Amino acid sequence: MKKSIGIDLGTTNSAAAIKKVRVEVLKNAEGELITPSCVTVRKRLMRKPEFIVGRHALEWLRQEPEQTITAVKRLIGRNFHDPEVQELIASGRFRCRLSAHSHGSRNSIAIQAGGREFSPEEISAQILVKIKADAERVLGDTVETAVITVPAYFNDKQKHATRAAAALAGLKVSRLLPEPTAAAISFGVDQVSGDEGKTVLVFDFGGGTLDLSLLAISGGQIIEMAKGGDMWMGGEDIDNLLVVHALRETAAREGMDDVRLRALIGRMEPGQRSRFLAELKLAAEKAKIALSDNPEVFLAVLGLLTDEDGDPLNIEAEFCREQIEELMAPMLTAMLKLVRSLLAEAHFTKDLIDHVLLVGGSSRIPCVADALRQEFGAEKVLLHERPMLAVAEGAAILSHRLADTQECPACGKETGQHEPVCPHCGFDLAQHTAEQGLVDIVHAAAHDYFIRLENDQRFLLIRKNTPLPCSSTEVFHLVDAEQELVHMQFYNVVNGREESIGDLWLGIDHDMFSADSKTVSPDAPPRVAVTLDIDESNLVSVRAALVGRPEVKVAGTLSRGKADEKLFLLLERTISEADQKGYSTYTVADLLCRARSIIRLIQQVVDERSGEVNESLCQQIEEKISKAVKIAEAEEAPLTRIYYAESMLTDYGMLIETPLQERIRKKIERLRKADEEGSYEETMQAMEELELLLEHPGLNTAHALTQIENACEICHRTEPDKAKRFMRAAAEVLAAAEKGEEPCFEQLEAIMPEVEAVLDQHASSTQEIHRGIRR
Ligand code: AMP
């Protein structure tokens, strides 16, 4: 029977658990309950790199710190230019080289290791691959589905990247569950809530993050009411405080100042320095953990650092509880501030909180629990018995609930999830479930969700803490009646800063506008209905469709720092530059037509589930964009020429001899092929050939009629009388031609200068490319 497990994919450590009759945390191949979230990438000659994950990778951290990635969760769904990422790089805490991804946009990030470039999700996937394999080994079965936990404040991009990591590892995600909620489930909903409701503040203090969540728990139902925390505050920061202190103590003991000691470290050969810093960090963490159970500890890193004379300079420091409390004082103050602001945001006071549930490895530090006891009262603070396993356990319980099937606790055979009685042995499954305490979770939106309107105005689509799943549809006007592109930008506001969650582009095909588009008044541009859906995992999907024309629609893919976003940004830049240059009508029409087909292609670049990028398609699109730029700069418009020649054949083919029609068709085909597949030069050559043929005298009448028709279209709104006159003239010419009579050239001669004036003016006027929306 395929198994569903719960996975705590942590910043520092990960764990997996399964619920059968009881919840069981699964041991990894090393026989441990916890797998360090650490990955070493080893380059291999002529073969794919090898990944070492977990405890063994921690060993490699000493040997090959630059090829070993810790805390990849801090990078997942982030971009290289994030101030926090830059800070992380500057602090030297990330020993691998980071950059923007060569296939991604500025909003991407890549880790250089083992001679290759990896996205954070590829590295996270390796942790999941090990967890999955280790679980399968213990369970003797395939693990197919998992509930994976994520910090409560993870944004859409970070959650999406987590789901992509799971897909790369071959895991289906049945739910992305906020870590504090998982901890509350594991604590035993029935322990903190009888029939009357209870309000629980979950305080999850892990290796990299502090995650806070305010939950209302009643009758087995958990409602997420508010979330907060700091994704850059965790046990690692405490390790760093210890490192700084140990260096200071060593300097003082050696009678040197901090600056000199740091200079000695700075002068080390890079590989040696990384090794020394990695060793120092491990020693600091060990000392910190020991200090949770002992009043005093000793930290030492021996024999790795030398002074200017080459004599060994050992790092040695003694710590007592009071010292760590002093070092952590600013952090404890910041922590309480976060707790208070979360309560204020949810309109709660301290006395309305029934329990404060402490989970996460760092909550074992005595002064952390003490600070919360002081804030809320000792009796309210509950320490989870297994703080580092609580999240995986909670995920396992939900995973079991969400699975389609379950194992009968009596006979062990597979039964349906909602079967009241086991069909194999008659065991009362319904009663068993009731005794276990039903877990039902009402998730809430983690952030406010906005869409950007014209002039940079923001419009709130979904408010933070709205119960999930939820959906919001709003109708916006396009900026212009004949707008062919709509660029919708979605974003969250996190800590007062805008964080893009992705863009959606809609191309409106003019052919689709057909007859009635020409009757749209410029005062009433078309409208677009935009829908934002958020599922229980807090994952966002978006849809947009033209009101009254549901066939003009786009759905789903939001670009997230990947190749598609890079290409969309390139397209946006191309369009803004074209706007600045002020190209004329037909050049703009040609460019828009290209933009629409480019949008369709960009939407296929990234596999929505796994996040994999189709690199050859990317290259093709880049080539198409640069060709579009070249054509626009030359003020050419091959596609509009094709459109013109085709409409002449369709509307006035009866006036053109069949062999000539055939020749035109061939030239059109040649131009279309050159435009699709050929170079700029080949396209221009094919266009010239078509132009030359269009000068054939046998086309004079058809040309004249096509031009009159185009002129009518242009001026029918602004100068209806003129348009009517043109139309009458065209009808007479056509009627004569159809009867096989010579058209009345005098009449044509009288009207053509006017027609040409309308066309010339239209062709030479510059066009702005609208792509915004407004209320
Ligand atoms: P988690 O993210 O919940 O796995 O927690 C990992 C963090 O907890 C790491 O920074 C560990 O150093 C820290 N940690 C684990 N056990 C203890 C302990 N007994 N005392 C203090 N910190 C701990």
Side-chain angles (χ1 to χ4, degrees):
M1 177 181 152
K2 287 184 178 140
K3 300 286 195 275
S4 300
I5 61 170
I7 300 177
D8 169 9
L9 183 61
T11 309
T12 323
N13 297 306
S14 297
I18 191 161
K19 181 178 183 311
K20 295 177 180 168
V21 180
R22 294 229 172 94
V23 182
E24 183 191 328
V25 179
L26 301 168
K27 282 195 177 151
N28 62 17
E30 293 73 53
E32 296 165 334
L33 295 173
I34 278 172
T35 302
S37 307
C38 183
V39 179
T40 303
V41 188
R42 305 220 62 216
K43 203 171 172 175
R44 294 189 299 186
L45 263 179
M46 318 280 285
R47 281 190 296 163
K48 286 189 175 165
E50 180 194 11
F51 297 97
I52 301 167
V53 183
R55 171 80 38 220
H56 297 311
L58 269 190
E59 302 297 327
W60 278 100
L61 183 63
R62 292 191 169 97
Q63 300 291 323
E64 297 200 358
E66 272 122 21
Q67 316 302 332
T68 302
I69 303 126
T70 53
V72 68
K73 193 168 161 186
R74 289 197 152 179
L75 301 179
I76 203 159
R78 298 221 141 246
N79 81 56
F80 178 65
H81 299 279
D82 270 351
E84 289 89 348
V85 172
Q86 287 301 318
E87 216 171 276
L88 209 64
I89 296 170
S91 72
R93 277 150 69 186
F94 241 89
R95 287 162 290 270
C96 303
R97 213 166 72 72
L98 303 177
S99 62
H101 202 287
S102 59
H103 293 301
S105 71
R106 271 177 63 83
N107 290 338
S108 67
I109 192 160
I111 301 158
Q112 317 287 335
R116 260 196 54 190
E117 181 179 71
F118 295 94
S119 65
E121 43 272 46
E122 283 175 303
I123 298 297
S124 277
Q126 291 305 323
I127 301 172
L128 290 171
V129 164
K130 174 175 167 61
I131 288 180
K132 181 175 185 285
D134 287 355
E136 285 174 346
R137 196 184 44 83
V138 177
L139 298 169
D141 231 324
T142 317
V143 170
E144 197 180 58
T145 335
V147 166
I148 298 182
T149 58
V150 286
Y153 51 76
F154 249 22
N155 66 19
D156 176 70
K157 195 168 150 192
Q158 290 164 311
K159 279 182 226 153
H160 230 274
T162 306
R163 198 145 76 161
L168 288 173
L171 277 169
K172 267 195 235 147
V173 178
S174 52
R175 184 79 55 90
L176 288 175
L177 178 67
E179 286 157 11
T181 311
I185 296 174
S186 135
F187 195 78
V189 168
D190 46 336
Q191 287 198 40
V192 287
S193 129
D195 278 341
E196 89 277 27
K198 289 272 163 69
T199 307
V200 179
L201 171 69
V202 183
F203 185 93
D204 181 358
F205 197 19
T209 57
L210 170 64
D211 214 350
L212 302 173
S213 191
L214 193 61
L215 307 174
I217 304 181
S218 171
Q221 196 187 48
I222 301 179
I223 302 170
E224 293 167 358
M225 292 190 298
K227 5 188 135 192
D230 185 339
M231 62 186 308
W232 302 93
M233 188 194 285
E236 270 191 28
D237 302 288
I238 305 167
D239 302 342
N240 286 321
L241 292 174
L242 264 69
V243 164
V244 171
H245 185 76
L247 291 177
R248 210 169 276 155
E249 286 243 307
T250 304
R253 196 194 58 236
E254 296 288 328
M256 55 171 73
D257 60 13
D258 285 10
V259 181
R260 195 175 132 213
L261 182 59
R262 284 184 184 281
L264 285 176
I265 299 169
R267 272 207 295 271
M268 288 171 95
E269 182 268 312
Q272 223 177 350
R273 184 173 57 233
S274 298
R275 218 160 301 139
F276 165 74
L277 292 174
E279 199 74 48
L280 186 56
K281 185 187 170 303
L282 289 173
E285 184 180 12
K286 217 164 125 199
K288 173 193 72 178
I289 293 176
L291 207 49
S292 292
D293 296 318
N294 300 287
E296 279 167 11
V297 292
F298 192 67
L299 179 158
V301 177
L302 311 177
L304 288 179
L305 182 67
T306 49
D307 66 13
E308 291 92 341
D309 303 325
D311 293 329
L313 186 60
N314 292 333
I315 306 292
E316 289 174 282
E318 227 174 331
F319 288 96
C320 62
R321 286 250 174 100
E322 289 72 35
Q323 255 163 340
I324 198 171
E325 277 174 34
E326 209 178 298
L327 291 174
M328 282 181 64
M331 194 186 250
L332 294 173
T333 310
M335 215 171 71
L336 289 177
K337 201 168 156 206
L338 288 167
V339 167
R340 288 175 196 145
S341 73
L342 175 79
L343 296 187
E345 190 187 308
H347 306 293
F348 265 73
T349 50
K350 280 190 281 189
D351 48 304
L352 292 175
I353 303 297
D354 297 301
H355 300 287
V356 180
L357 176 58
L358 259 60
V359 285
S362 302
S363 67
R364 291 216 192 159
I365 300 174
C367 63
V368 172
D370 287 346
L372 291 164
R373 284 192 192 103
Q374 255 181 24
E375 182 77 3
F376 289 96
E379 69 295 346
K380 288 189 181 176
V381 177
L382 308 170
L383 264 146
H384 197 288
E385 278 173 26
R386 298 167 303 281
M388 292 172 75
L389 303 175
V391 172
E393 289 178 357
I397 295 171
L398 183 65
S399 190
H400 176 261
R401 273 239 335 133
L402 295 176
D404 296 333
T405 55
Q406 60 173 322
E407 214 168 275
C408 169
C411 69
K413 292 200 177 127
E414 185 177 344
T415 67
Q417 179 65 259
H418 303 292
E419 212 87 69
V421 173
C422 174
H424 310 290
C425 69
F427 180 77
D428 190 341
L429 290 166
Q431 181 168 356
H432 176 73
T433 310
E435 280 165 10
Q436 296 270 304
L438 203 69
V439 181
D440 207 0
I441 305 163
V442 179
H443 298 281
H447 307 281
D448 285 333
Y449 291 81
F450 295 95
I451 185 167
R452 195 181 309 287
L453 304 184
E454 197 195 10
N455 300 328
D456 244 5
Q457 276 178 296
R458 59 166 72 150
F459 184 89
L460 182 67
L461 286 169
I462 287 177
R463 193 175 290 285
K464 185 175 174 180
N465 295 328
T466 304
L468 302 180
C470 70
S471 175
S472 160
T473 300
E474 292 289 338
V475 174
F476 301 96
H477 285 99
L478 303 194
V479 171
D480 185 74
E482 287 171 7
Q483 190 166 331
E484 290 183 38
L485 294 179
V486 189
H487 181 189
M488 291 155 277
Q489 295 164 275
F490 300 90
Y491 59 97
N492 296 137
V493 174
V494 182
N495 300 335
R497 234 183 35 214
E498 285 184 10
E499 271 188 11
S500 166
I501 49 170
D503 296 14
L504 193 67
W505 285 77
L506 176 67
I508 304 165
D509 204 322
H510 244 310
D511 286 348
M512 288 187 185
F513 259 68
S514 66
D516 30 303
S517 76
K518 289 163 195 157
T519 61
V520 171
S521 115
D523 314 323
R527 288 173 305 149
V528 63
V530 180
T531 302
L532 190 122
D533 295 304
I534 312 182
D535 71 7
E536 282 107 334
S537 298
N538 228 304
L539 283 167
V540 177
S541 58
V542 283
R543 287 172 281 147
L546 271 199
V547 175
R549 289 170 197 281
E551 75 279 9
V552 186
K553 64 177 178 205
V554 61
T557 31
L558 276 182
S559 32
R560 295 181 171 82
K562 294 225 161 126
D564 54 346
E565 186 173 64
K566 187 177 178 186
L567 291 166
F568 273 138
L569 288 171
L570 187 61
L571 179 69
E572 172 63 44
R573 203 167 61 231
T574 304
I575 294 171
S576 333
E577 279 170 13
D579 251 348
Q580 276 162 20
K581 289 183 180 151
Y583 293 130
S584 57
T585 308
Y586 294 119
T587 304
V588 168
D590 189 275
L591 182 62
L592 284 172
C593 191
R594 281 168 207 283
R596 285 199 309 269
S597 85
I598 286 167
I599 287 170
R600 279 193 293 274
L601 290 178
I602 299 178
Q603 279 156 354
Q604 295 161 30
V605 157
V606 179
D607 183 291
E608 215 178 316
R609 232 174 70 76
S610 69
E612 274 170 300
V613 173
N614 181 337
E615 286 170 18
S616 81
L617 183 59
C618 277
Q619 201 180 337
Q620 266 179 48
I621 296 170
E622 276 177 24
E623 282 161 14
K624 278 185 188 296
I625 295 180
S626 69
K627 188 167 164 185
V629 170
K630 227 165 160 184
I631 289 173
E633 278 172 353
E635 288 264 12
E636 295 287 1
L639 297 179
T640 45
R641 287 315 278 162
I642 291 179
Y643 180 76
Y644 178 85
E646 276 184 334
S647 52
M648 183 163 79
L649 287 180
T650 315
D651 297 344
Y652 305 109
M654 66 289 213
L655 307 180
I656 308 168
E657 288 184 358
T658 317
L660 184 53
Q661 282 192 43
E662 269 317 299
R663 284 174 63 200
I664 297 172
R665 268 199 194 98
K666 279 203 182 120
K667 291 286 177 211
I668 290 177
E669 258 337 289
R670 201 171 120 67
L671 173 54
R672 204 193 300 281
K673 195 151 185 287
D675 191 77
E676 266 295 306
E677 299 162 16
S679 65
Y680 168 77
E681 288 73 21
E682 284 161 341
T683 309
M684 289 302 116
Q685 170 69 30
M687 186 166 83
E688 223 173 283
E689 287 173 23
L690 175 65
E691 293 290 351
L692 211 66
L693 186 58
L694 291 181
E695 283 169 20
H696 193 287
L699 295 172
N700 284 351
T701 315
H703 261 313
L705 285 166
T706 313
Q707 284 177 324
I708 297 172
E709 189 181 308
N710 286 354
C712 267
E713 233 171 66
I714 293 163
C715 65
H716 87 281
R717 221 153 38 200
T718 47
E719 299 174 275
D721 292 342
K722 196 187 253 181
K724 271 187 208 137
R725 230 166 1 93
F726 287 172
M727 229 128 62
R728 264 199 309 275
E732 280 169 26
V733 175
L734 190 60
E738 276 175 345
K739 278 191 227 148
E741 295 167 6
E742 277 293 304
C744 174
F745 287 110
E746 279 151 39
Q747 196 173 1
L748 273 184
E749 267 164 33
I751 205 168
M752 282 320 277
E754 253 187 298
V755 166
E756 277 161 16
V758 169
L759 293 178
D760 284 349
Q761 206 212 348
H762 181 66
S764 60
S765 61
T766 55
Q767 300 287 321
E768 193 184 338
I769 305 174
H770 295 287
R771 51 209 181 279
I773 51 172
R774 59 180 164 78
R775 263 318 250 187

